[in-house]
């Protein structure tokens, strides 16, 4: 496995390579990321993983500096997973005009208004940051296939829109959520959870499953189901950002005519913001 930090070296290493599978990450890898790699291997012959903690997708109030960086452990996992190249650029490699303080000079990719809802409502600019760094990485790596996890459902939705609307010749493959035995969706952020928070972190996925069961049993009062679930989590110590039943193909609030639904949530337990979702068919 080659570890490459410059665009030039990467371009050289990828010259004449066909069928490249790409898995972008911010590092601090867990079983969910390794699942993305194995899925990439099913679709492509040569696998590139990037590790880059993208400053553009963090708001000033968010903890970019303390985002967990575990490069050596990540390399070990990727080697075992059979990755060919790990691309680990520095900030100025991807943002040449970054002056060390602000990124105001950078050209950004502006996603559609879907990016302003759900997670985007409390994280303005986040998805523009994601789309921008992916546009850069897609241009540098030129993969045939790129793999993303469904845990970040809204991110995946926006990436699919970007690839379609900007005409990237890339197949986007979506990987199912990998969960802990208690249902907690795997995430690098789980590492922030205190011992106490860990014992109640599974309540988010449990609550979502209860809503899905209720809808499948015929309860279609979506607003009431969302409010009750939010109240339930709040009494258990969570700060709920949103719980939203949406149409899976638009990410707009679901109506009774929608059949393919996705229930999405974001909430904080003990200062750690977790997201989760369940896709399902209405009865
Ligand atoms: O999902 C992530 O880890 C990041 O948002 C991504 C896609 C690697 C872009 O920085």
């Amino acid at each position: 496995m080659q570890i490459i930090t410059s665009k030039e070296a990467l371009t050289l290493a990828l010259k004449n390579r066909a069928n490249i599978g790409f898995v972008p990450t911010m590092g601090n890898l867990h079983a969910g990321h390794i699942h993305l790699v194995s899925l990439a291997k099913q679709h492509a012959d040569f696998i590139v993983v990037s590790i880059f903690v993208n400053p553009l997708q963090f708001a000033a109030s968010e903890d970019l500096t303390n985002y967990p960086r575990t490069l050596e452990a990540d390399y070990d996992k990727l080697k075992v997973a059979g990755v060919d190249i790990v691309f680990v650029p520095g900030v100025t490699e991807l943002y040449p005009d970054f002056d060390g303080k602000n990124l105001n000079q950078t050209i950004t990719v502006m996603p559609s208004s879907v990016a302003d809802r759900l997670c985007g409502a409390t994280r303005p600019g986040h998805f523009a940051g994601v789309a921008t760094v992916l546009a850069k990485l897609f241009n540098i790596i030129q993969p045939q296939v790129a793999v993303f996890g469904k845990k970040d459902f809204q991110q995946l939705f926006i990436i699919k829109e970007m690839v379609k609307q900007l005409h990237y010749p890339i197949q986007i493959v979506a990987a199912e959520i990998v969960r802990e035995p208690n249902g907690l969706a795997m995430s690098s952020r789980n590492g922030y959870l205190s011992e106490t928070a860990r014992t109640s972190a599974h309540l988010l996925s449990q609550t979502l499953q209860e809503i899905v069961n209720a809808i499948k049993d015929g309860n279609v009062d979506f607003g009431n189901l969302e409010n009750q679930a939010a109240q339930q989590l709040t009494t258990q110590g969570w700060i709920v950002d949103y719980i939203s039943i949406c149409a899976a193909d638009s990410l707009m609030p679901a109506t009774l005519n929608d059949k393919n639904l996705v229930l999405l949530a974001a909430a904080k337990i003990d200062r750690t913001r977790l997201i989760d979702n369940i896709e399902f068919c209405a009865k």
Side-chain angles (χ1 to χ4, degrees):
M1 183 178 85
Q2 271 182 283
I3 297 165
I4 295 183
T5 56
S6 81
K7 292 185 293 265
E8 291 73 20
L10 183 63
T11 307
L12 207 62
L14 294 177
K15 208 170 163 206
N16 301 327
R17 287 277 171 205
N19 207 5
I20 298 169
F22 175 42
V23 180
T25 80
M26 298 208 297
N28 194 228
L29 306 179
H30 51 71
H33 294 107
I34 302 308
H35 176 56
L36 303 185
V37 171
S38 47
L39 205 53
K41 289 178 78 170
Q42 288 172 27
H43 287 83
D45 302 327
F46 193 85
I47 307 301
V48 179
V49 171
S50 63
I51 299 180
F52 180 67
V53 183
N54 174 30
L56 204 61
Q57 68 189 74
F58 287 79
S61 58
E62 293 174 345
D63 215 352
L64 168 66
T65 328
N66 288 334
Y67 193 86
R69 288 160 173 88
T70 52
L71 275 185
E72 292 307 321
D74 293 347
Y75 294 155
D76 289 345
K77 289 176 189 161
L78 295 176
K79 213 178 285 175
V80 172
V83 166
D84 296 290
I85 291 180
V86 193
F87 182 45
V88 197
V91 173
T92 46
E93 194 67 16
L94 291 190
Y95 296 102
D97 295 313
F98 184 53
D99 63 3
K101 288 195 204 82
N102 62 62
L103 285 153
N104 294 344
Q105 296 309 313
T106 199
I107 287 179
T108 52
V109 175
M110 197 52 71
S112 75
S113 59
V114 172
D116 303 329
R117 309 184 49 248
L118 303 167
C119 284
T122 43
R123 303 187 73 191
H126 168 70
F127 290 113
V130 171
T132 301
V133 80
L134 289 175
K136 288 167 182 273
L137 290 166
F138 287 166
N139 288 336
I140 296 167
I141 296 163
Q142 301 190 11
Q144 278 64 50
V145 175
V147 185
F148 295 87
K150 285 190 185 179
K151 184 179 71 69
D152 297 287
F153 196 92
Q154 189 178 10
Q155 169 174 283
L156 175 65
F157 187 96
I158 291 164
I159 293 164
K160 283 183 181 164
E161 279 193 333
M162 174 178 109
V163 163
K164 184 171 171 221
Q165 295 187 24
L166 297 185
H167 310 285
Y168 278 101
I170 301 174
Q171 180 195 352
I172 300 298
V173 173
E176 295 304 325
I177 299 175
V178 179
R179 296 183 181 278
E180 304 277 4
N182 66 4
L184 173 66
M186 286 199 184
S187 163
S188 299
R189 286 169 187 260
N190 295 353
Y192 292 139
L193 293 169
S194 65
E195 274 305 308
T196 338
R198 255 198 171 264
T199 58
S200 49
H202 67 283
L203 290 175
L204 185 60
S205 64
Q206 191 177 303
T207 306
L208 295 190
Q209 193 56 59
E210 284 165 11
I211 300 181
V212 171
N213 294 345
I215 296 174
K216 289 190 167 175
D217 284 346
N219 184 342
V220 288
D221 189 347
F222 295 159
N224 192 36
L225 284 168
E226 290 165 353
N227 289 338
Q228 273 185 359
Q231 266 172 31
Q232 195 179 309
L233 284 171
T234 306
T235 53
Q236 282 156 329
W238 293 72
I239 298 170
V240 176
D241 181 354
Y242 64 83
I243 295 181
S244 185
I245 303 160
C246 292
D249 60 359
S250 65
L251 279 193
M252 294 305 286
T255 68
L256 295 183
N257 293 328
D258 294 311
K259 287 283 159 274
N260 297 324
L261 305 183
V262 56
L263 167 62
L264 305 109
K268 273 189 193 165
I269 180 81
D270 198 18
R271 292 205 301 247
T272 302
R273 187 176 187 277
L274 300 179
I275 58 171
D276 202 347
N277 68 78
I278 301 180
E279 265 180 293
F280 63 105
C281 285
K283 221 174 152 200

